[in-house]
Amino acid sequence: MSDAMHIVLDDSAMTAAGQGNVLASRLIHRAHAEPGWFLYAPACALVEADRARPGTAEHLAALPGITVLDLDLSAALALARQETWAAAHSHFAAQPTPDRPDGAIIATTAPKRWEDEPVRVLDLNT
């Protein structure tokens, strides 16, 4: 297991960050200020968050601690398995990779969305 923290923001977490959610703000601060903390914004989830709260995408993409994950071919092929593109890209981004051998945690304000999925969840409501 790695000591690094890899966290994927789903669209609900991105929207919450734009509305001043304290826990989302703490994640953003840690990803910017602390070594070993990595925060990811899947492009499809970023689009959905911007639809819900215009300006969210531009704001989050400009933050130095957040890495926007492009929709590459393997992510695009995974999209059909989920209800929305935002959920699919977030789920795909949380899977283990050579850079993230333990996968990533999905930060969300909609934890019920992830109940039946094989992902770790960080509820930003508490």
Side-chain angles (χ1 to χ4, degrees):
M1 284 224 147
S2 171
D3 289 337
M5 287 295 296
H6 296 277
I7 300 172
V8 173
L9 297 172
D10 76 358
D11 56 308
S12 72
M14 293 180 203
T15 303
Q19 295 172 325
N21 179 289
V22 174
L23 295 176
S25 295
R26 286 180 186 168
L27 289 176
I28 292 167
H29 172 73
R30 283 190 154 179
H32 174 68
E34 294 184 30
W37 280 77
F38 302 94
L39 203 53
Y40 304 98
C44 292
L46 195 58
V47 168
E48 199 60 37
D50 199 69
R51 287 181 179 164
R53 184 169 166 52
T56 299
E58 189 173 357
H59 175 71
L60 288 176
L63 294 173
I66 296 179
T67 301
V68 176
L69 300 176
D70 294 332
L71 181 64
D72 60 11
L73 177 58
S74 54
L77 295 174
L79 290 181
R81 298 185 194 123
Q82 296 287 331
E83 191 172 312
T84 69
W85 284 34
H89 202 185
S90 297
H91 183 272
F92 179 80
Q95 299 308 303
T97 66
D99 292 339
R100 299 183 299 276
D102 300 325
I105 299 166
I106 296 180
T108 185
T109 60
K112 289 190 183 278
R113 172 194 293 175
W114 302 103
E115 278 182 348
D116 296 328
E117 298 295 331
V119 295
R120 296 174 291 159
V121 172
L122 174 61
D123 185 349
L124 298 180
N125 294 308
T126 55

